[in-house]
Amino acid sequence: MSIPSAAKSTPIGGRQQLADYLAAGEKPREAWRIGTEHEKFGFLTDSLRPPTFEGDRGIRVLLETLASRYGWQIAREGDIPVALTRGMANITLEPAGQLELSGAPLETVHDTCREVNSHLDEVRSVADTLGIGFLGMGFQPKWPRDEMPWMPKGRYKIMHEYMPKVGSLGLDMMTRTCTVQVNLDFGSQADMIKKFRVSLALQPIATALFADSPFTEGRPNGYQSYRSHIWTDTDNDRTGMLDFVFEDGFGYERYVDYILDVPMYFSLQNGKYLDLAGQDFKQFMAGNLAALPGTRATMKDWADHLTTAFPEVRLKQYLEMRGADGGPWNRLCALPAFWVGLLYDDEALDAAWDLVKDFSLTERHALRDGVPKHALKLPFRNGTVRDLAEQALKIAAHGLQRRARLNPNGADERIFLEPLLEIVQANQTPADRKLELFHGPWNGSVDPVFREFAY
């Protein structure tokens, strides 16, 4: 549910209003949808360098051509095109020009996979004529941070200046990472709580299955998912495993308290981003910010502020699964299949909760901290993360089977789990595979990745 226009500019009346906003996301089961988002690195096919915003092979030309050719509406900051919209879908820019599709809320994984394929076809048809390719991985494998371009978006300028004050890897997160995530609905506060707990406990399993960021500046970096590691030193005020989600009494109000403690980045005032980095949203609600004397935060400010926290699972008016590295098209369809299978079938959700409910806080953190380096091979209890992944995939497959959403050929959504089942069976992550190629046929170069793994 979006904010009604009238309420966007209404000052926030109190904490309960903020909790009610989250609760307004509740939907009956038949209205539950699947929203898939994925980011990808652009590169110039001759030099492998990331495209800049301006120039005849730049991101601006790409956006404007996509808009004119395929009926997207251009969203601008001033006269600068910064995003495209068409129906319920958006194409947006990450800070270094990583292109993101924020997909429409769709009924089945078949639908979301068709959307991904059609988007990649559209992008390729324009990018090919510009000599631009796109790569799905978790971390930019070749170029150093200072050679990454910056997109001319107001909020990114503010974050660019603030990030180095709160962590050493925040600018890498902004410019050199890509993810795929899925956004899923809940039916009630109790349903939200159970889904939040299950998905937070299992997020490291998704990180392990999708681990695909083993290179930094052309060399192995010692990690399976360096993208996941980066979040551990980005900004601890707004990242992490949210231990309070597992505590008695957790619900919308407790999440509101967490977000109110997250320092601000900005407020959008008269179409311009005002730098409020590090300021207190509670003071903004009271009208006590020196930069905006007497101005009180509105529900639009609250909706914006919710997007500036980056935990492993994020609550807005739906739940966002944020643990996976970006990857090739078949894994862009595998992620929603994994989480839909676990969370959208009651029996599967119960089984998934049984799998994780006795994880201690220490164990949850050990998984989160160990998976970026060791992925499936991380020891856990009497086995490894691979064993957990195997169990989670079995539960997800049964959940998808019971959902029984069929494509025209009569296949259900389990077909999209195939890439993950192969990863678990081989005990070889996407990162392992690329490292094998790097040390073998690629002769110690990451350049072939741009050719062999481009969309």
Side-chain angles (χ1 to χ4, degrees), residues 81-94:
V82 292
L84 306 177
T85 60
R86 188 175 67 193
M88 298 282 283
N90 300 291
I91 295 174
T92 55
L93 296 177
E94 292 300 298

Side-chain angles (χ1 to χ4, degrees), residues 288-422:
N288 291 337
L289 290 187
L292 284 169
T295 302
R296 289 170 54 205
T298 66
M299 288 307 290
K300 173 69 171 72
D301 290 309
W302 174 243
D304 285 343
H305 188 53
L306 281 167
T307 70
T308 67
F310 309 119
E312 294 293 297
V313 176
R314 179 162 68 184
L315 174 63
K316 293 200 279 197
Q317 289 182 321
Y318 44 83
L319 285 165
E320 298 180 353
M321 309 296 130
R322 298 174 48 83
D325 285 2
W329 76 265
N330 63 350
R331 288 210 304 279
L332 304 182
C333 305
L335 187 80
F338 180 69
W339 289 115
V340 166
L342 290 169
L343 303 184
Y344 271 12
D345 172 79
D346 287 345
E347 209 176 308
L349 184 58
D350 285 343
W353 177 236
D354 283 342
L355 182 62
V356 304
K357 66 186 178 188
D358 68 338
F359 288 7
S360 67
L361 183 149
T362 306
E363 285 177 321
R364 288 195 301 270
H365 280 266
L367 285 169
R368 169 63 187 92
D369 296 341
V371 151
K373 194 166 272 240
H374 304 289
L376 296 173
K377 297 178 178 73
L378 180 72
F380 185 76
R381 294 187 174 174
N382 297 320
T384 63
V385 165
R386 180 196 183 189
D387 303 320
L388 279 178
E390 218 160 20
Q391 290 170 280
L393 281 166
K394 197 174 289 183
I395 295 167
H398 286 146
L400 295 174
Q401 185 176 19
R402 282 187 294 269
R403 260 172 66 82
R405 302 300 180 90
L406 309 182
N407 68 11
N409 301 323
D412 66 35
E413 295 161 311
R414 284 176 296 170
I415 56 174
F416 300 112
L417 292 178
E418 284 301 323
L420 305 184
L421 294 168
E422 287 169 20

Side-chain angles (χ1 to χ4, degrees), residues 134-361:
F134 281 95
L135 173 69
M137 280 185 76
F139 191 77
Q140 161 59 251
K142 184 173 174 70
W143 301 105
R145 184 202 293 171
D146 60 9
E147 293 188 42
M148 299 301 290
W150 278 86
M151 299 297 105
K153 290 178 71 169
R155 68 184 280 169
Y156 293 159
K157 182 175 187 297
I158 292 165
M159 291 169 71
H160 180 262
E161 289 167 11
Y162 181 68
M163 282 290 185
K165 300 173 184 172
V166 289
S168 68
L169 297 175
L171 296 181
D172 286 315
M173 179 277 289
M174 294 179 72
T175 59
R176 295 203 284 175
T177 64
C178 280
T179 183
V180 51
Q181 65 181 56
V182 63
N183 306 324
L184 297 175
D185 290 314
F186 45 84
S188 63
Q189 177 164 263
D191 186 45
M192 178 279 290
I193 292 167
K194 192 169 186 179
K195 285 173 173 169
F196 207 149
R197 288 173 174 166
V198 164
S199 55
L200 204 46
L202 286 177
Q203 212 57 223
I205 310 313
T207 302
L209 284 167
F210 285 77
D212 196 359
S213 37
F215 304 118
T216 301
E217 293 168 29
R219 306 294 307 164
N221 53 32
Y223 288 85
Q224 295 269 307
S225 175
Y226 190 62
R227 181 205 62 83
S228 181
H229 167 69
I230 276 173
W231 283 110
T232 64
D233 192 9
T234 289
D235 180 348
N236 290 337
D237 286 331
R238 64 186 82 238
T239 60
M241 285 294 278
L242 306 190
D243 299 326
F244 64 83
V245 169
F246 297 91
E247 292 170 3
D248 291 345
F250 172 69
Y252 300 127
E253 290 188 33
R254 179 66 186 86
Y255 193 81
V256 165
D257 291 341
Y258 159 66
I259 293 289
L260 287 175
D261 286 337
V262 170
M264 292 183 68
Y265 280 150
F266 58 79
S267 173
L268 191 56
Q269 299 284 329
N270 304 315
K272 288 206 162 54
Y273 285 96
L274 181 68
D275 187 346
L276 297 173
Q279 302 284 314
D280 185 338
F281 195 87
K282 296 187 286 293
Q283 292 298 312
F284 188 19
M285 283 169 61
N288 291 337
L289 290 187
L292 284 169
T295 302
R296 289 170 54 205
T298 66
M299 288 307 290
K300 173 69 171 72
D301 290 309
W302 174 243
D304 285 343
H305 188 53
L306 281 167
T307 70
T308 67
F310 309 119
E312 294 293 297
V313 176
R314 179 162 68 184
L315 174 63
K316 293 200 279 197
Q317 289 182 321
Y318 44 83
L319 285 165
E320 298 180 353
M321 309 296 130
R322 298 174 48 83
D325 285 2
W329 76 265
N330 63 350
R331 288 210 304 279
L332 304 182
C333 305
L335 187 80
F338 180 69
W339 289 115
V340 166
L342 290 169
L343 303 184
Y344 271 12
D345 172 79
D346 287 345
E347 209 176 308
L349 184 58
D350 285 343
W353 177 236
D354 283 342
L355 182 62
V356 304
K357 66 186 178 188
D358 68 338
F359 288 7
S360 67
L361 183 149

Side-chain angles (χ1 to χ4, degrees), residues 437-451:
L437 291 165
F438 176 86
H439 292 297
W442 293 355
N443 294 317
S445 169
V446 297
D447 290 4
V449 82
F450 292 92
R451 181 180 63 251

